[in-house]
Amino acid sequence: MRGGTNEVLHRLPVPNLKDELHSAGWAPACGCSDSGAAAKRTKLVLPGLISSRIYVVDVGGSPCRPPRICK
């Protein structure tokens, strides 16, 4: 099964030293809503654990496409 809890699918390099991002436990394929709203979420707002920076990460597209930093 792809995307299991112990499998790394992609790594997202960040441009600044010591920026470790906190994922907040949300996945783009999360089926938490019956309305299909979860399938339309393509951006994550992720705070840095050590720095005060905030990143917007694009997770849209196919499950095989790696995430990328938007802003």
Side-chain angles (χ1 to χ4, degrees):
M1 175 179 183
R2 284 198 68 156
T5 57
N6 295 322
E7 185 178 356
V8 175
L9 297 178
H10 301 287
R11 292 190 186 272
L12 178 64
V14 291
N16 298 296
L17 189 62
K18 294 188 178 182
D19 275 351
E20 182 177 339
L21 303 180
H22 187 273
S23 69
W26 178 83
C30 177
C32 299
S33 173
D34 292 335
S35 67
K40 295 179 180 148
R41 289 186 237 167
T42 61
K43 305 282 191 291
L44 293 174
V45 177
L46 301 174
L49 291 177
I50 297 172
S51 72
S52 61
R53 294 181 185 92
I54 297 175
Y55 291 89
V56 178
V57 177
D58 180 9
V59 294
S62 72
C64 296
R65 185 182 71 74
R68 63 178 183 219
I69 295 176
C70 294
K71 196 164 186 141

